[in-house]
Amino acid sequence: MNFVTRDHTILVPAGEARGALLRAGQHLTVIDPEGEQVGDLFAYPDDPSHGRHLSAAHTRAHVNRLFPQPGEAFVTDLRTPVLTLVEDNSPGRHDMLIPACDAVRYAALGAPPGHPSCAANLNTVLTQAGRDTHTTVPQPVNVFMDIRVGTDSLAWFPASTKPGDSITLQAATDCLVVVSACPQDLSVINNGSPTPLELHLH
Amino acid sequence: MNFVTRDHTILVPAGEARGALLRAGQHLTVIDPEGEQVGDLFAYPDDPSHGRHLSAAHTRAHVNRLFPQPGEAFVTDLRTPVLTLVEDNSPGRHDMLIPACDAVRYAALGAPPGHPSCAANLNTVLTQAGRDTHTTVPQPVNVFMDIRVGTDSLAWFPASTKPGDSITLQAATDCLVVVSACPQDLSVINNGSPTPLELHLH
């Protein structure tokens, strides 16, 4: 478990999550070292007057798209910027439509009880950070997750990242960011084989 | 304030919200008597083992689309069906991407404090029903709200409903449903003029 504030790289082991405390203005680069790996990202402002957490729904309305473009911000449930997308060195396919995987999802997929999930991973990190856990996990920012909106349905693809692809965010306010290297091995999104992520704080 | 269980029509005055207690199997028809009016709909199972509330994110994953088609279900944060869309007598344009309007949204639009909002309307009904209110309101089911997903951005249109258009839902489990006749008069969605809705329980 690492909570550090600058010039540090945190390994997120495959199927696990890690947190990082960012100060306003700091950058977080999420790196996919092996490629084809989704990260579920959550953010919590230190100052609750800025909102309780990053909100995908309010971000969609704020940027008027399904996902921000570089230069645009992710906002909280109080419509306040928490992270800005500053650089995208990936194919640019990310998702804010699909919820975090959880125990119910893995049970439906036939996994035995105890399969790791992004929802459980998030609550583990929040507990370690001394924060309240969620009964209902917020909609994550699913970096590198390739979900395409068709005319009639959603189409799911393996993450299109190559080894070393990355996305860089800048904190708009002091916040805790949690990233889960998604443990999903029963659908296509990680191409069947979850791998690690890296968080570079700078 | 009306909480009734069958064969009853509830008027939802323009800009206000009302709740209805549904038993499993019962139908709720949401009628737009004057046309061009959005309704923000929320649902809460009586049995918390079925989930805390209707979840747009989990519904998208469940039906693999941005909005259910007739015959498909809205599910909770525990991925359990709470309402089934059984009939759509409208142009079929509905939204589950945009959050409920709230005080922050109206302040940004230049409205004076105290402008009614779907978020405040929901909490008013939850209080009247003796339920916990929300700090962060769940993503609503925005019936009749015409938001179209373009390649680069979202496009907002006035509700495409004609007078008398309706949508009918069936309860999959005992639940409280709240519908807010959206008070938004500062964007295009209600064509500038909020009007009432009707809830027909049958």
Side-chain angles (χ1 to χ4, degrees):
Chain A
M1 178 69 180
N2 291 293
F3 287 114
V4 294
T5 55
R6 56 187 306 140
D7 300 325
H8 194 81
T9 296
I10 300 171
L11 175 71
V12 185
E16 300 187 17
R18 293 293 184 273
L21 293 167
L22 300 184
R23 295 293 157 216
Q26 276 198 301
H27 292 81
L28 171 70
T29 299
V30 183
I31 305 162
D32 182 1
E34 300 184 23
E36 297 185 329
Q37 176 61 42
V38 167
D40 282 34
L41 183 148
F42 307 85
Y44 302 85
D46 285 0
D47 179 349
S49 76
H50 292 183
R52 293 211 302 177
H53 54 71
L54 189 160
S55 166
H58 296 86
T59 298
R60 283 191 292 269
H62 181 72
V63 300
N64 207 36
R65 337 175 178 279
L66 295 181
F67 200 89
Q69 291 186 342
E72 294 179 338
F74 298 89
V75 301
T76 68
D77 54 318
L78 290 182
R79 304 178 192 258
T80 301
V82 57
L83 293 171
T84 301
L85 174 54
V86 293
E87 194 171 353
D88 190 353
N89 292 310
S90 81
R93 295 197 173 276
H94 312 285
D95 171 75
M96 288 199 311
L97 296 171
I98 300 301
C101 59
D102 53 26
V104 178
R105 170 78 166 138
Y106 286 109
L109 289 169
H115 192 291
S117 72
C118 288
N121 286 348
L122 170 62
N123 278 335
T124 297
V125 174
L126 290 174
T127 299
Q128 292 167 333
R131 311 262 180 140
D132 291 341
T133 59
H134 296 285
T135 304
T136 303
V137 165
Q139 165 72 52
V141 175
N142 296 311
V143 299
F144 312 137
M145 185 163 173
D146 189 357
I147 302 291
R148 304 185 197 180
V149 178
T151 46
D152 195 47
S153 64
L154 305 178
W156 300 48
F157 292 90
S160 53
T161 30
K162 302 297 178 206
D165 281 355
S166 67
I167 189 171
T168 297
L169 309 165
Q170 183 176 30
T173 185
D174 297 354
C175 59
L176 168 66
V177 176
V178 179
V179 177
S180 174
C182 178
Q184 179 58 268
D185 53 356
L186 301 171
S187 83
V188 71
I189 61 167
N190 298 311
N191 211 7
S193 175
T195 52
L197 293 173
E198 290 175 12
L199 309 181
H200 182 211
L201 280 71
H202 53 111
Chain B
M1 177 71 180
N2 291 292
F3 288 115
V4 296
T5 54
R6 56 186 304 140
D7 300 327
H8 196 81
T9 297
I10 300 171
L11 174 69
V12 186
E16 299 186 17
R18 292 294 184 272
L21 294 167
L22 299 183
R23 295 293 156 216
Q26 276 199 302
H27 293 81
L28 170 70
T29 299
V30 183
I31 305 162
D32 182 2
E34 301 183 24
E36 297 185 328
Q37 177 61 42
V38 167
D40 281 35
L41 183 147
F42 307 85
Y44 302 86
D46 286 0
D47 180 349
S49 76
H50 291 183
R52 294 210 302 175
H53 54 72
L54 189 161
S55 167
H58 296 87
T59 297
R60 283 191 292 268
H62 181 71
V63 301
N64 207 36
R65 339 175 178 278
L66 295 182
F67 201 89
Q69 291 186 343
E72 295 179 337
F74 298 89
V75 301
T76 68
D77 54 316
L78 290 183
R79 304 178 192 257
T80 301
V82 58
L83 294 170
T84 301
L85 174 54
V86 293
E87 194 171 353
D88 190 353
N89 292 311
S90 81
R93 295 196 173 278
H94 312 284
D95 170 75
M96 289 199 308
L97 296 172
I98 301 299
C101 58
D102 54 25
V104 178
R105 170 78 164 138
Y106 287 108
L109 289 169
H115 192 290
S117 71
C118 288
N121 286 347
L122 170 62
N123 279 335
T124 297
V125 173
L126 290 174
T127 298
Q128 291 168 336
R131 311 263 180 138
D132 292 339
T133 58
H134 296 285
T135 305
T136 302
V137 165
Q139 165 71 52
V141 176
N142 296 311
V143 299
F144 312 137
M145 185 164 172
D146 189 357
I147 302 291
R148 305 186 196 177
V149 178
T151 46
D152 193 49
S153 64
L154 305 177
W156 299 49
F157 293 91
S160 53
T161 31
K162 302 297 179 206
D165 282 355
S166 67
I167 189 171
T168 297
L169 309 165
Q170 183 175 30
T173 184
D174 296 354
C175 58
L176 168 66
V177 176
V178 179
V179 177
S180 174
C182 178
Q184 180 57 269
D185 52 357
L186 300 172
S187 83
V188 71
I189 62 169
N190 299 311
N191 210 8
S193 175
T195 53
L197 294 173
E198 289 177 12
L199 309 181
H200 181 211
L201 281 69
H202 53 112

